[in-house]
Amino acid sequence: MNQHVVTFLPAGISVPVEAGSSLLQAQIAAGLQPDAPCGGKGTCGKCRVVLDGQEILACQTQVHRDMTVFTEQPEQMKILTAGLSVDILPDGTDAYVMAFDIGTTTVVCYLMDGRSGGLLAQSSCMNPQSQFGADVISRIQQVLKDGGDVMSTTIRDALSRLARETAAKAGIPPEAITASAIVGNTAMHHLLLGIDPKPLVTPPYMPAVFEALERNGARILPNIAGFVGGDTVGCMVSTRFDRLEELTLLIDIGTNGEMVLGNRNRRIACSTAAGPAFEGAKISCGMRGAEGAVDHVWLEKGELQYHVIGDKAPQGLCGSGLLDLVAVLLDLEVLDESGYLEEKAFSLCENVTLTQKDIREVQLAKAAIRAGIELLARQMGVKVEDIQQVYLAGAFGNYMDPKSACRIGMIPPVLIDRIQPIGNAAGEGAKLCALRREEFDYAKALAKHTEFLELASLPDFQDCYVDALEFSEEEDA
Ligand code: FES
């Protein structure tokens, strides 16, 4: 087979690739972990590189000769590692234990003293599977097309790398770590373990494996449904969800939106197809919460103000900034409740322009979340205003302004004073399960005793979703 050499600068890495491969494939082969939210379909525009002085899309460019390509160094993303948790007494049978939280976008690794439970070191990285697409569906499609080996090897290598890095930070050999626990959404779980993910994208969208597993000393938390996985169970472990008196709504908005409503009496979980808009994908100027991202926008004396992460010129909008900007545009009446943008596009500053299509993506995402909240409440037989507290898990929930989430109607405004960010509660759940076997058993019991609600099967789903598309502050979405 004819091969060509592609050299990437400024990294200075050269790789031989088969003629006809895309430049994106060459970047992946070079280990550069390119940003490719659409998975190489040519629609997100995020894989731009410079070839012969011209900006081109790496996924749409075939290698047909030796090439030298300039790529941007990916920005370091802020990764959320801490979260709400409880104090427990570890088993004490292992000197060192490790916990992993495999998110669709980021992966976090924690190393703990198995006797005291103290955190010794932690590390995090982007999930290297992002090079195959920002959302789980793109990655599953990739596995169905080409087999799952690359996908599972990619994440396993990342876990090994993180484990070595974290052990080195604590000054211990990796072999000294004798127990671990892993949380992840159902797709991350299947792709890690090399389990066929086809059932996740085929009705009734259920996991091939629900049960908690133990593999080589690793406790892997169970799944509740195709899109409600061990990460949600981890959040329930760390918040002691089945012991809560208050009727509580737990929301984790990532590339999908998982929710649980309940307390000590009953718990119902659902997933919403919120899509990755709030992770920067599908938004023309969207980016992750890294340096250069506008992360907050507000009005001061009628003037638009914004904040950029790091000491940098703005390069795009991350999820929290996107939410704020839409809320501000509603206040300025540049955007109406139906989602119509008065201007063709709204420019906040150089590199940050919101288009009508971007607004539509936000509407779809926020409507999915709002409809989920309304339908969970109905299923529980309560009104939305009966919810006594709202736990927001995950990075977006931690950094977003709840006022903006309520202003655009993503979260019912009546709940504004009941919202509490709980950080990386999934990671905290993994830590507890690594430290004590009883916690792992508790996770199994929580998964077993949580009902799952398939929103799309409900007769009122469509109406509820369509109502929730409006940017309305009204209580009844
Ligand atoms: S446009 Fe190339 S990866 Fe999305």
Side-chain angles (χ1 to χ4, degrees):
M1 180 65 74
N2 206 357
Q3 286 203 326
H4 301 294
V5 174
V6 183
T7 302
F8 292 98
L9 296 174
I13 299 174
S14 298
V15 278
V17 290
E18 284 176 12
S21 309
S22 72
L23 271 181
L24 183 68
Q25 287 170 320
Q27 268 179 294
I28 295 170
L32 288 172
Q33 298 184 9
D35 197 16
C38 75
K41 295 193 189 80
T43 54
C44 70
K46 302 278 195 253
C47 64
R48 271 182 228 106
V49 296
V50 176
L51 174 68
D52 301 333
Q54 301 253 359
E55 262 204 355
I56 49 147
L57 293 179
C59 69
Q60 301 299 304
T61 307
Q62 287 191 334
V63 179
H64 49 77
R65 59 179 166 85
D66 290 354
M67 291 172 165
T68 300
V69 179
F70 289 84
T71 61
E72 271 190 22
Q73 298 288 84
E75 296 293 352
Q76 281 298 317
M77 189 176 164
K78 281 202 296 184
I79 298 180
L80 181 69
T81 53
L84 182 78
S85 193
V86 289
D87 284 332
I88 58 157
L89 196 63
D91 284 335
T93 43
D94 298 278
Y96 299 105
V97 302
M98 205 160 238
F100 296 95
D101 171 21
I102 308 176
T104 309
T105 309
T106 55
V107 185
V108 187
C109 168
Y110 308 88
L111 172 62
M112 288 149 301
D113 182 316
R115 309 253 151 78
S116 71
L119 181 68
L120 299 174
Q122 63 187 32
S123 307
S124 56
C125 67
M126 299 301 296
N127 185 330
Q129 292 174 338
S130 302
Q131 62 197 308
F132 303 106
D135 59 300
V136 297
I137 302 295
S138 308
R139 296 184 208 170
I140 292 172
Q141 281 167 347
Q142 171 81 22
V143 170
L144 297 182
K145 190 165 127 261
D146 292 337
D149 289 356
V150 176
M151 202 65 75
S152 54
T153 310
T154 304
I155 187 66
R156 285 178 201 187
D157 287 351
L159 296 191
S160 309
R161 236 182 1 257
L162 276 181
R164 283 196 303 275
E165 191 184 316
T166 317
K169 278 187 193 171
I172 62 159
E175 313 78 69
I177 302 153
T178 45
S180 64
I182 300 176
V183 295
N185 62 49
T186 313
M188 293 306 104
H189 170 279
H190 282 34
L191 298 181
L192 169 74
L193 298 172
I195 298 168
D196 180 9
K198 197 167 179 203
L200 302 180
V201 290
T202 319
Y205 310 107
M206 282 296 156
V209 176
F210 282 88
E211 297 77 20
L213 299 171
E214 292 199 60
R215 292 270 193 284
N216 308 323
R219 298 167 184 163
I220 301 163
L221 270 70
N223 299 310
I224 292 174
F227 291 92
V228 183
D231 50 352
T232 304
V233 179
C235 290
M236 292 170 76
V237 168
S238 60
T239 55
R240 301 302 201 229
F241 205 83
D242 66 340
R243 297 175 198 170
L244 295 170
E245 289 291 339
E246 299 86 356
L247 182 62
T248 303
L249 174 67
L250 167 75
I251 314 180
D252 186 357
I253 305 166
T255 52
N256 214 21
E258 297 99 10
M259 291 178 215
V260 188
L261 178 65
N263 56 14
R264 60 200 300 271
N265 301 322
R266 185 182 177 193
R267 292 153 300 284
I268 312 176
C270 75
S271 73
T272 65
F278 294 120
E279 302 241 335
K282 291 198 171 175
I283 300 296
S284 57
C285 65
M287 66 180 284
R288 292 174 180 141
E291 285 195 352
V294 171
D295 64 343
H296 283 295
V297 183
W298 68 98
L299 277 176
E300 209 169 282
K301 297 187 185 132
E303 293 285 318
L304 264 171
Q305 309 285 333
Y306 60 86
H307 176 264
V308 184
I309 302 174
D311 196 13
K312 288 214 154 188
Q315 289 169 20
L317 259 183
C318 67
S320 56
L322 174 65
L323 197 67
D324 284 351
L325 182 54
V326 174
V328 165
L329 293 181
L330 284 164
D331 284 345
L332 289 173
E333 297 183 1
V334 175
L335 181 66
D336 73 15
E337 289 198 346
S338 74
Y340 174 70
L341 193 60
E342 304 269 297
E343 303 161 19
K344 207 164 157 220
F346 182 88
S347 220
L348 176 69
C349 54
E350 201 184 343
N351 293 330
V352 180
T353 298
L354 218 50
T355 65
Q356 182 68 68
K357 185 172 167 292
D358 297 332
I359 300 285
R360 297 295 178 216
E361 290 291 343
V362 173
Q363 278 182 289
L364 296 176
K366 79 100 185 174
I369 293 162
R370 179 63 180 267
I373 297 172
E374 299 282 340
L375 293 167
L376 271 184
R378 274 181 219 178
Q379 186 74 12
M380 185 64 86
V382 297
K383 294 206 172 72
V384 160
E385 53 265 39
D386 296 331
I387 296 171
Q388 292 164 289
Q389 53 185 2
V390 181
Y391 284 163
L392 286 184
F396 176 56
N398 201 61
Y399 299 123
M400 78 176 194
D401 182 346
K403 284 198 291 303
S404 298
C406 291
R407 175 66 185 93
I408 73 163
M410 183 166 90
I411 295 178
V414 69
L415 302 178
I416 179 95
D417 297 325
R418 304 172 207 172
I419 298 174
Q420 183 190 341
I422 57 168
N424 187 359
E428 295 297 329
K431 283 156 85 176
L432 296 174
C433 291
L435 287 166
R436 192 170 169 86
R437 174 165 291 281
E438 267 177 28
E439 294 290 324
F440 186 47
D441 294 336
Y442 176 48
K444 294 178 200 171
L446 271 168
K448 194 168 161 208
H449 298 294
T450 300
E451 300 162 45
F452 174 66
L453 180 64
E454 174 58 64
L455 296 179
S457 70
L458 299 173
D460 41 357
F461 170 72
Q462 204 57 31
D463 287 347
C464 193
Y465 180 67
V466 170
D467 287 348
L469 285 168
E470 287 243 318
F471 286 123
S472 162
E473 286 186 288
E474 300 281 306
E475 284 316 324
D476 259 316

